[in-house]
Amino acid sequence: MSEHQKKTIFSGVQPSGKLTLGNYLGAIRNFPLLQEEYQCIYCVVDLHAITVRQEPAALRRQTLEVLAQYIACGLDPEKSILFIQSHVPAHAELAWILNCYTMFGEASRMTQFKDKAAKHSDNVNVGLFDYPVLMAADILLYQADLVPVGVDQLQHIELTRNIAQRFNGVYSDTFTMPEPYIPKAGAKIMSLTDPTRKMSKSDQNPGGFVLLMDKPDDILRKFKRAVTDSDNRIVVRDDKPGVSNLITIYALATGQTIQQVEEQFAGKGYGELKPAVGEAVVELLRPIREKTEDLLKNKDYLEQVYTAGAQKASALARKTLDKVYRKVGFIKR
């Protein structure tokens, strides 16, 4: 299939530098497979990041860490476009135009703004309110067909579609209407300390999540302390969320089915399950952590990747932006 026939997937990645085991097993592990079938564009969204106060040196470091981790997880810069959002000015340019085609009521209904505003009540800035429009610009710039998102981001895709539809209605077809992409085999990995909640790096208890860059001893300790229950049977059941989560993680880390894992641990206790899951995760993440550490020592290579990625992204973005500028009546520069 030629590049022109492939559908385009766009994904924006926050430069937190803290990708979790949940991120990896739920989505990132599938990304290398996607790049064979789709034109994949992955952007480290540093413009989005500054809606919350950032320490500049940390933001620079974390931006490179995320880029390195994605490559370490199997993304090939020759097959996917990997770049840093602020290196392609068209994102900010299109966002301003889309602001003028976004209704205030639509933007004010975004539930994530309300959540983030509550968490950062000392800094409820216009960028925080407006970032779903920048997200729409990120997606529409590349005429993305599909956007990998979690359930919490579906409202933003709907807003993006509303903006695109409104603009297309005024000026004729300009933007592709994006669809959310929910990976078929995307597993939902839960917190190790509260298995009723999804694993998240924003968890107040760092024992609840495993980071891709965690050291082996830290991983083993977190699994040793993972919440289970008083019934010692090792089976997947609705009333055993902690054990079910550990079995799911072990199955994914070792390539087994849930049934095979249940059979392997039949008659055994949590004292054997927890360290086994910890060891399996250590071995799963070891090559990713080591490759990331090697890449971060090679800043020249990372610079080559994000510079070449920005050039490719800019060429695609410019086509869309030129079309938009012409349609709204701007004089060609």
Side-chain angles (χ1 to χ4, degrees):
M1 190 184 287
S2 75
E3 290 298 316
H4 295 296
Q5 292 172 309
K6 285 183 177 181
K7 287 190 171 183
T8 297
I9 282 185
F10 174 88
S11 181
V13 191
Q14 284 278 0
S16 66
K18 293 181 179 177
L19 296 174
T20 69
L21 176 68
N23 298 140
Y24 180 68
L25 292 177
I28 299 169
R29 191 162 76 157
N30 296 318
F31 286 178
L33 301 174
L34 295 178
Q35 68 189 358
E36 304 300 332
E37 191 178 342
Y38 300 96
Q39 174 176 251
C40 291
I41 302 172
Y42 296 103
C43 166
V44 185
V45 290
D46 53 346
L47 294 177
H48 284 286
I50 63 167
T51 57
V52 175
R53 291 284 175 264
Q54 301 286 340
E55 202 279 297
L59 179 60
R60 282 189 283 271
R61 184 183 69 251
Q62 288 165 191
T63 299
L64 289 180
E65 280 178 7
V66 168
L67 186 68
Q69 285 177 55
Y70 266 64
I71 297 169
C73 287
L75 286 181
D76 183 347
E78 298 298 318
K79 295 178 179 178
S80 296
I81 298 176
L82 305 173
F83 71 103
I84 298 166
Q85 186 184 27
S86 62
H87 291 186
V88 180
H91 286 255
E93 293 180 63
L94 182 59
W96 172 253
I97 293 177
L98 297 185
N99 275 329
C100 302
Y101 296 85
T102 305
M103 299 301 108
F104 186 83
E106 287 176 311
S108 62
R109 283 194 293 274
M110 297 293 106
T111 54
Q112 279 213 334
F113 166 71
K114 294 167 188 170
D115 294 343
K116 291 193 175 188
K119 285 180 186 172
H120 304 279
S121 56
D122 59 332
N123 182 29
V124 185
N125 57 69
V126 174
L128 191 65
F129 179 77
D130 193 43
Y131 88 97
V133 183
L134 176 58
M135 184 174 166
D138 298 337
I139 296 164
L140 298 177
L141 258 182
Y142 301 101
Q143 305 293 349
D145 299 286
L146 299 165
V147 186
V149 288
V151 175
D152 58 338
Q153 293 283 351
L154 286 174
Q155 193 183 29
H156 291 162
I157 302 300
E158 198 54 45
L159 177 66
T160 300
R161 288 172 59 84
N162 289 345
I163 296 168
Q165 198 165 24
R166 184 174 295 123
F167 193 96
N168 289 351
V170 174
Y171 298 108
S172 77
D173 284 354
T174 307
F175 298 119
T176 299
M177 294 292 283
E179 299 280 351
Y181 176 82
I182 312 292
K184 296 187 192 82
K188 192 173 182 183
I189 304 303
M190 312 307 282
S191 165
L192 299 182
T193 54
D194 180 2
T196 63
R197 291 170 48 241
K198 194 174 173 183
M199 183 180 284
S200 169
K201 63 180 178 287
S202 59
D203 194 326
Q204 294 298 310
N205 184 346
F209 56 85
V210 172
L211 300 176
L212 298 193
M213 299 303 289
D214 274 350
K215 292 182 171 58
D217 286 350
D218 293 331
I219 294 172
L220 292 171
R221 186 173 63 254
K222 287 179 182 182
F223 278 102
K224 190 176 178 182
R225 296 175 179 171
V227 168
T228 48
D229 55 51
S230 55
D231 171 4
N232 215 28
R233 291 189 62 214
I234 298 175
V235 291
V236 169
R237 233 169 44 200
D238 289 346
D239 63 340
K240 294 170 71 70
V243 179
S244 298
N245 190 41
L246 292 177
I247 292 171
T248 300
I249 292 170
Y250 187 77
L252 290 167
T254 59
Q256 297 183 72
T257 65
I258 297 294
Q259 186 179 349
Q260 286 172 328
V261 177
E262 288 177 337
E263 288 170 359
Q264 180 181 338
F265 289 96
K268 297 178 181 177
Y270 300 151
E272 291 172 90
L273 174 67
K274 289 182 181 182
V277 182
E279 291 285 359
V281 170
V282 165
E283 293 312 313
L284 177 72
L285 299 185
R286 187 188 303 279
I288 296 170
R289 189 186 74 253
E290 291 175 352
K291 178 90 182 280
T292 300
E293 288 169 349
D294 286 344
L295 287 166
L296 287 170
K297 290 173 191 167
N298 192 347
K299 296 287 199 302
D300 289 346
Y301 171 72
L302 290 177
E303 185 178 348
Q304 287 171 19
V305 169
Y306 66 67
T307 300
Q311 288 171 350
K312 292 175 191 172
S314 292
L316 293 171
R318 178 51 55 189
K319 287 180 187 173
T320 298
L321 197 62
D322 284 350
K323 192 189 297 184
V324 169
Y325 274 23
R326 187 175 70 253
K327 290 194 174 186
V328 301
F330 292 167
I331 291 173
K332 187 174 180 180
R333 50 179 154 178

